[in-house]
Amino acid sequence: MNDFAVKIGEKIRDARVNKGLTQEKLAELTDLSTNHISKLERGICSVGLHNFYKICRVLQLDLNEIVYPDVSEGFGNRSPGTSGCLTINEMAVIESHLREALSVIYVSRGGQLHG
């Protein structure tokens, strides 16, 4: 897997630990296997969008913070009088992160991205 998969796994692990959950309990709450949770946290497997949503919901994770944390930090910190629109650089970062995220979080259609 790539560095982005590792970063996603770290965020999931950190959130799980902060909630006081074991991998076994998270697996139970999301109807996934403990082995899959372990691999996901280590960044060595991908996860379907539906299962990723279940994990985020149980752990109360914000998808924005996971997919593009370096941009989402600045969303609420705009200077007074500036528009709420993203800059071209922010949009480029988001596009880059989304491409990486889609390689890890895929739409379950035979495990492949379509479209």
Side-chain angles (χ1 to χ4, degrees):
M1 275 285 137
N2 59 33
D3 289 339
F4 198 77
V6 172
K7 288 178 187 177
I8 287 175
E10 288 172 352
K11 289 206 178 265
I12 290 170
R13 182 185 59 243
D14 291 347
R16 176 184 57 76
V17 169
N18 286 337
K19 292 245 177 249
L21 298 175
T22 63
Q23 287 182 341
E24 292 80 10
K25 186 62 176 178
L26 179 58
E28 177 187 323
L29 293 171
T30 57
D31 295 322
L32 298 171
S33 72
T34 303
N35 187 43
H36 191 75
I37 297 292
S38 174
K39 287 180 179 180
L40 183 59
E41 287 185 357
R42 290 180 283 145
I44 59 174
C45 74
S46 56
V47 63
L49 186 58
H50 180 72
N51 289 333
F52 185 67
Y53 170 77
K54 289 193 296 187
I55 292 168
C56 287
R57 196 174 85 214
V58 167
L59 297 176
Q60 298 175 325
L61 289 172
D62 182 351
L63 183 61
N64 293 338
E65 293 174 10
I66 294 172
V67 175
Y68 39 84
D70 47 344
V71 175
S72 66
E73 288 172 3
F75 283 165
N77 300 324
R78 301 246 181 242
S79 300
T82 61
S83 75
C85 296
L86 297 175
T87 67
I88 191 70
N89 290 336
E90 289 171 326
M91 290 170 60
V93 169
I94 289 170
E95 179 183 17
S96 170
H97 283 290
L98 287 174
R99 287 181 191 274
E100 290 180 89
L102 287 173
S103 71
V104 178
I105 305 163
Y106 60 93
V107 178
S108 297
R109 292 187 196 162
Q112 303 252 339
L113 283 175
H114 297 276

